[in-house]
């Protein structure tokens, strides 16, 4: 792993048209040049290739991630996106987000398959857990602790609890642990303070507005 810390990952979920996304990228891309940590952006699938081109052309300091990938390899799976199809443009993939577990009934078996496919394609899975009791598939190096009550609610978990979960999670191996759930410019430092949490995952609450998201980047390094 050669990531610099903190790691800040934007999960844009199923938001933004292409015009809005490309404006967002211009603004955040410029700010990325001043950011000393690792910035990961996870937009919707249709935008990945064009964003990848833009990042290369403009030398934005952004790594690209997908918000999911298929449990299947390439084949007759209409609507799916296989890991090997995005391997050239994505360094990361969020896997097991609670919205996918809930809305798409993703089970531990399915998630293990997705992790294995990502790893085979040399994509780093960012595996989401909702508590320190959730099983983490073999070989995962990046874990995001995202308690459901904190996602999109403006009601983040307490720094003490997040630190405790990070500490417990790290007893399972050499893991990089992110926290996600209502992360804001005001609270980000409280999560990074002890050096137990390596970064954050920022969802729709504070990533969609590029200025709010840049405020998070700035606050993380202030
Ligand atoms: P939020 O979402 O930042 O809007 O709470 C976090 C996430 O879903 O990853």
């Amino acid at each position: 792993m050669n990531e610099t810390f903190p790691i800040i990952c934007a999960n844009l979920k199923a938001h933004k048209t292409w015009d809005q996304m490309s404006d967002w990228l211009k603004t955040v891309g410029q700010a990325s040049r001043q950011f000393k940590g690792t910035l990961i952006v996870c937009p919707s699938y249709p935008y990945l290739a064009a964003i990848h081109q833009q990042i290369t052309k403009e030398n934005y300091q952004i790594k690209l991630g997908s918000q999911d990938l298929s449990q299947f390899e390439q084949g007759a799976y209409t609507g799916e996106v296989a890991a090997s199809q995005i391997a050239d443009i994505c360094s990361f993939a969020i896997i097991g987000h609670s919205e996918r577990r809930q809305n798409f009934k993703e089970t531990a078996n399915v998630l293990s398959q997705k992790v294995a496919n990502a790893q085979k394609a040399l994509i780093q899975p960012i595996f989401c857990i909702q508590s320190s009791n959730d099983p983490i598939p073999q070989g995962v190096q990046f874990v995001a602790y995202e308690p459901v009550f904190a996602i999109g609610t403006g009601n983040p978990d307490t720094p003490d609890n997040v630190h405790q979960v990070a500490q417990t999670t790290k007893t399972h191996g050499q893991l990089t642990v992110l926290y996600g759930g209502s992360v804001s410019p005001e609270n980000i430092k409280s999560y990074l303070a002890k050096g137990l949490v390596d970064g954050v995952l920022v969802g729709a609450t504070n990533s969609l507005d590029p200025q709010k998201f840049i405020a998070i980047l700035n606050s993380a390094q202030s």
Side-chain angles (χ1 to χ4, degrees), residues 9-13 94 97-99 128 144 146-156 179-184 201-207 216:
C9 178
N11 172 13
L12 295 157
K13 309 194 179 183
I94 298 172
H97 192 284
S98 58
E99 288 156 13
C128 298
E146 296 214 313
V148 173
F149 69 80
I151 296 179
T153 58
N155 176 31
Y179 166 68
S182 300
V183 172
S184 68
L201 216 158
V202 186
T205 309
N206 282 312
S207 73
I216 289 184

Side-chain angles (χ1 to χ4, degrees), residues 9-25:
C9 178
N11 172 13
L12 295 157
K13 309 194 179 183
H15 288 283
K16 296 200 183 288
T17 61
W18 170 244
D19 282 354
Q20 293 165 340
M21 189 63 226
S22 94
D23 284 348
W24 186 97
L25 182 66

